[in-house]
């Protein structure tokens, strides 16, 4: 069998599939719980690459892919094609090409640093052209195109798979994830942006949060004064869980699955249900200890409200900003497409009630993981790659850089006040009008929801599904004979550090990156990130995994 591997280089984690190139049949699926780069968002990843070396960032990405290929059960001589899809930063780090043209928006800064825009068109190259992939002698690497240098293949995948190119109706498509890519089609023009919503939508930076995976709480509903939890089973289907008292965690009815945490979709459902039922009065939780208790000791705190509010607010501010650029009102959007894991497992109606889908959208579709789907399509078809390049070239696109856009700044400040400072919704709308930003109506009652897939990855393959709990990627700093190190590493808030063989070792996927760097304060000299070395990946047998065949 000639084998190919398709990889979605997601900001919150990598997803891969083993494919029979002759039949197109999916054989096996392996995903990681986290991205191998330090930090939980694309800004952290850029910071790491720019300040600590593109070569180091590239090697971490490649090492994680080597682990995935190993866990997929593909021998080096048997791999004939490898395809990838992702945002421009992840694809650039995979290829080992500079990202400064993505990192700096200002023209004067670019001129001062002599930053050149990189070519991000589609390409098919030999694996030997990418450092770290030389061990696959028969392999061709397939890379999809960006629409513009800052509008990546993942956004193209979202636009194409949503079907918005085939319709003249005003529609918006959103990838509900850490980087929150979104595209609005209005008047024949596609307006794109990326909200950098943060990891809360993927269940990260939440006290008991986990990525969408078996045994994660993915939805909740109130039954009287109690909360019914719903979990993902081994096939990633919504399954009835425990009925609990949210004030104490006391169980009134037990379900068949034990919870390991709450995913981003569960967080959104809990926020919507909690506000509607009065147990959440922004920004507070109305329980004796300020905590909502779910099954199996899973807790939701007021800090989690802040993290979730930051993410929800970034999404809605992004939608408002795109409408502002297009010269339309939010009420003009009648179709909303949801993609990504969170967009698949989320209750679409609850998402609309809380503001993550436009309030007046009468049709909502849930379309799954479009990035992995596109990676798989170009894996088995050169013609599909050519089609995507043609589409990317022809799209009339306008990209809005939210970081420098005044409308986004004004809208997001209001969102922060609403979610974190207790501003009521009536006042929120009043200030939108005062700032001359697109207006919000109250949410409609019963939108039509079309769930096109049951899972974000609809088919796992007959060889099963595996989630890797760690990517097997490590950074190390030589600290020979350090008597303090073994004690000091305990202060790492994410438990990413260990001391072995006269070196401090950092699990790169657990490290919180530029958002933290506390180790630079508590570790003794000469500890410094300037001396980081990327180690070779851990062998497949040593990497923790959770398998659901």
């Amino acid at each position: 069998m000639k084998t190919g591997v398709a990889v979605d280089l997601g900001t919150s984690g990598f997803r891969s599939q083993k494919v029979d190139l002759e039949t197109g049949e999916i054989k096996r699926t392996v995903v990681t719980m986290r991205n191998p780069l330090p930090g939980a968002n694309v800004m952290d990843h850029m910071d790491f690459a720019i300040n600590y070396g593109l070569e180091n960032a590239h090697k971490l990405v490649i090492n994680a892919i080597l682990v995935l290929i190993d866990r997929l059960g593909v021998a080096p001589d048997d791999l004939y094609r490898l395809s990838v899809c992702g945002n421009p930063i992840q694809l650039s780090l995979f290829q080992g090409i500079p990202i400064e043209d993505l990192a700096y928006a200002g023209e004067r800064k670019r001129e001062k640093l002599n930053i050149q825009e990189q070519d991000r068109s589609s390409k098919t190259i030999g694996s030997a052209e990418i450092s770290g992939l030389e061990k696959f002698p028969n392999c061709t690497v397939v890379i999809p195109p960006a629409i513009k240098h800052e509008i990546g293949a993942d956004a193209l995948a979202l636009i194409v798979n949503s079907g918005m190119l085939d319709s003249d109706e005003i529609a918006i498509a959103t990838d509900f994830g850490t980087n929150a890519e979104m595209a609005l089609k209005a008047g024949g023009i596609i307006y794109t942006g990326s909200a950098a919503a943060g990891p809360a939508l993927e269940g990260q930076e939440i006290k008991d949060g986990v990525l969408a995976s078996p045994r994660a709480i993915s939805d909740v509903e109130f039954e009287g004064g109690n909360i019914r939890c719903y979990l993902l089973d081994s096939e990633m289907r919504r399954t009835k869980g425990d009925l609990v008292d949210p004030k104490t965690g006391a169980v009134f009815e037990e379900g068949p699955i034990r919870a390991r945490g709450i995913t981003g979709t569960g967080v959104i459902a809990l926020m919507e249900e909690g506000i509607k039922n009065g147990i959440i009065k922004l920004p507070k939780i109305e329980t004796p200890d300020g905590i909502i208790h779910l099954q199996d000791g899973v807790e939701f705190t007021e800090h989690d409200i802040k993290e979730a509010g930051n993410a929800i607010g970034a999404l809605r501010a992004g939608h408002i900003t795109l409408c502002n650029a297009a010269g339309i009102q939010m009420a003009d959007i009648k179709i909303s497409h949801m993609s990504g894991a969170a967009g698949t497992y989320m209750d679409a109606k609850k998402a609309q009630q809380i503001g993550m889908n436009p309030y007046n959208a009468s049709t909502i579709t849930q379309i799954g993981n479009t990035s992995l789907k596109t990676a798989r399509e170009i894996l088995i078809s050169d013609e599909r790659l050519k089609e995507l390049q043609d589409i990317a070239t022809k799209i009339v696109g306008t990209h809005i850089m939210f970081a420098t856009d005044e409308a986004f700044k004004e809208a997001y400040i209001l969102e922060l006040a609403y979610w974190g400072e207790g501003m009521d919704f009536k006042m929120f709308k009043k200030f939108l009008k005062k700032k001359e930003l697109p207006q919000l109506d109250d949410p409609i009652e019963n939108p039509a929801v079309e769930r096109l897939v049951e899972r974000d990855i609809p088919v796992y393959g007959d060889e099963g599904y595996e989630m890797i709990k760690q990517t097997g990627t490590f950074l190390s700093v030589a600290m020979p004979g350090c008597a303090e190190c073994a004690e000091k590493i305990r202060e790492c808030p994410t438990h990413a550090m260990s001391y072995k063989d006269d070196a401090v070792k950092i699990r790169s996927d657990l490290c919180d990156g530029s958002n933290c760097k506390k180790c630079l304060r508590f570790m003794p000299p000469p500890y410094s990130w300037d001396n980081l070395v990327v180690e070779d990946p851990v062998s497949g047998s040593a990497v923790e995994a959770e398998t659901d065949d």
Side-chain angles (χ1 to χ4, degrees):
M1 183 181 77
K2 284 192 173 183
T3 301
V5 170
V7 183
D8 166 27
L9 301 172
T11 304
S12 60
F14 291 177
R15 297 156 182 88
S16 67
Q17 291 190 313
K18 173 183 173 183
V19 178
D20 183 333
L21 292 176
E22 295 178 356
T23 66
E25 182 184 1
I26 299 167
K27 306 299 292 183
R28 181 169 172 77
T29 300
V30 178
V31 306
T32 69
M33 286 190 72
R34 297 175 182 84
N35 189 292
L37 289 163
N41 59 63
V42 72
M43 301 304 293
D44 289 327
H45 300 166
M46 275 202 302
D47 175 85
F48 180 82
I50 290 172
N51 290 307
Y52 302 103
L54 174 62
E55 183 180 347
N56 284 336
H58 167 73
K59 190 172 181 181
L60 286 174
V61 171
I62 295 300
N63 283 355
I65 288 175
L66 293 177
V67 171
L68 286 172
I69 293 172
D70 179 62
R71 298 306 284 244
L72 286 167
V74 181
D77 289 347
D78 295 335
L79 183 64
Y80 281 83
R81 281 173 78 92
L82 171 69
S83 64
V84 292
C85 189
N87 66 48
I89 292 168
Q90 304 296 343
L91 285 178
S92 298
L93 297 181
F94 166 78
Q95 296 173 76
I97 64 177
I99 60 171
E100 281 77 6
D101 60 325
L102 302 172
Y104 300 105
E107 290 300 324
R108 282 187 292 180
K109 184 72 170 181
R110 291 188 181 200
E111 290 177 9
K112 182 179 179 180
L113 298 178
N114 193 29
I115 293 172
Q116 303 298 314
E117 189 169 305
Q118 300 295 315
D119 176 21
R120 293 187 171 86
S121 57
S122 64
K123 53 179 70 73
T124 302
I125 57 178
S127 60
E129 295 185 49
I130 295 182
S131 176
L133 297 182
E134 301 90 349
K135 65 183 293 185
F136 304 105
N138 304 314
C139 184
T140 296
V141 179
V142 187
I143 301 167
I147 301 172
K148 292 183 178 179
H149 84 283
E150 74 272 40
I151 312 172
D154 54 347
L156 178 62
L158 173 65
I159 292 167
V160 170
N161 285 280
S162 70
M164 63 167 54
L165 293 178
D166 304 320
S167 171
D168 293 329
E169 295 187 82
I170 295 175
I172 197 163
T174 309
D175 185 342
F176 289 83
T178 303
N179 210 34
E181 292 84 4
M182 55 187 70
L184 170 71
K185 184 177 182 183
I189 299 175
I190 292 178
Y191 301 84
T192 61
S194 176
L201 297 180
E202 300 284 358
Q204 298 181 65
E205 301 299 319
I206 299 295
K207 178 181 179 295
D208 290 326
V210 293
L211 291 175
S213 55
R215 298 192 293 117
I217 297 172
S218 63
D219 196 4
V220 300
E221 291 179 358
F222 270 76
E223 297 182 10
N226 299 315
I227 290 180
R228 171 72 67 184
C229 298
Y230 290 86
L231 289 77
L232 297 173
D233 67 9
S234 61
E235 293 295 321
M236 300 292 281
R237 292 184 293 249
R238 180 178 181 268
T239 302
K240 194 174 183 180
D242 292 0
L243 180 68
V244 301
D245 182 340
K247 297 180 180 179
T248 66
V251 179
F252 298 106
E253 183 182 321
E254 192 170 293
I257 302 176
R258 306 280 39 96
R260 58 193 294 266
I262 183 169
T263 192
T265 61
V267 168
I268 298 308
L270 186 56
M271 291 280 284
E272 192 274 336
E273 287 282 296
I275 292 171
K276 183 172 66 178
N277 288 274
I279 198 170
I280 295 177
K281 292 184 179 179
L282 296 173
K284 299 293 184 182
I285 293 175
E286 299 292 304
T287 62
D289 58 2
I291 295 172
I292 297 177
H293 298 268
L294 304 172
Q295 75 171 74
D296 299 311
V298 176
E299 297 178 342
F300 188 76
T301 69
E302 291 176 353
H303 173 75
D304 295 335
I305 287 180
K306 178 182 177 182
E307 291 292 336
N310 289 346
I312 298 167
L315 278 167
R316 186 162 60 185
H319 291 169
I320 291 170
T321 303
L322 293 184
C323 287
N324 186 69
I328 64 172
Q329 296 297 322
M330 288 282 283
D332 294 328
I333 301 174
K334 302 302 182 184
I335 301 173
S336 179
H337 303 288
M338 306 172 67
S339 79
T344 302
Y345 300 116
M346 195 180 298
D347 184 310
K349 293 182 180 180
K350 290 174 183 171
Q352 185 175 49
Q353 291 294 314
I354 209 167
M356 297 176 69
N357 279 313
Y359 285 153
N360 290 80
S362 55
T363 300
I364 301 172
T365 66
Q366 295 175 281
I367 58 179
N369 185 319
T370 56
S371 186
L372 182 59
K373 180 175 183 288
T374 296
R376 193 170 61 249
E377 288 173 347
I378 62 175
L379 180 74
I380 60 179
S381 172
D382 286 326
E383 186 61 32
R384 183 55 171 161
L385 182 67
K386 182 178 181 299
E387 288 174 5
L388 289 177
Q389 182 63 68
D390 290 343
I391 292 170
T393 303
K394 293 174 183 176
I395 284 178
V396 178
T398 300
H399 183 66
I400 313 301
M401 184 72 71
F402 290 166
T404 58
D405 188 86
E406 288 301 319
F408 182 82
K409 292 178 184 178
E410 297 285 3
Y412 194 46
I413 287 171
L414 294 178
E415 293 286 356
L416 294 177
Y418 174 72
W419 295 103
E421 303 296 332
M423 173 189 282
D424 65 31
F425 191 57
K426 184 177 180 181
M427 184 66 69
F428 181 92
K429 293 198 292 183
K430 179 180 178 180
F431 273 100
L432 280 178
K433 187 174 183 179
K434 184 178 180 180
K435 299 290 185 181
E436 298 182 342
L437 294 171
Q439 301 298 292
L440 298 177
D441 290 337
D442 291 329
I444 64 174
E445 285 298 322
N446 198 29
V449 177
E450 300 176 17
R451 188 163 183 168
L452 303 182
V453 293
E454 286 299 312
R455 302 183 301 217
D456 64 318
I457 305 175
V459 180
Y460 290 153
D462 56 15
E463 294 179 16
Y465 165 93
E466 182 178 340
M467 173 171 280
I468 299 174
K469 293 184 179 179
Q470 67 178 74
T471 60
T473 53
F474 286 86
L475 306 167
S476 67
V477 179
M479 294 286 287
C482 179
E484 300 177 67
C485 284
E487 184 67 28
K488 289 289 187 180
I489 59 174
R490 296 179 185 178
E491 296 185 39
C492 174
T494 60
H495 310 291
M497 302 175 73
S498 59
Y499 184 69
K500 185 179 180 182
D501 299 330
D502 284 337
V504 175
K505 299 182 184 294
I506 305 170
R507 258 188 65 180
S508 67
D509 58 333
L510 279 186
C511 177
D512 217 8
S514 60
N515 187 48
C516 178
K517 291 187 180 178
K518 291 180 180 177
C519 57
L520 295 179
R521 296 194 295 271
F522 64 70
M523 289 299 293
Y527 179 88
S528 169
W529 275 34
D530 293 332
N531 302 321
L532 287 173
V533 174
V534 178
E535 297 189 347
D536 290 333
V538 176
S539 65
S541 60
V543 179
E544 294 182 75
E546 180 169 308
T547 305
D548 294 282
D549 294 324

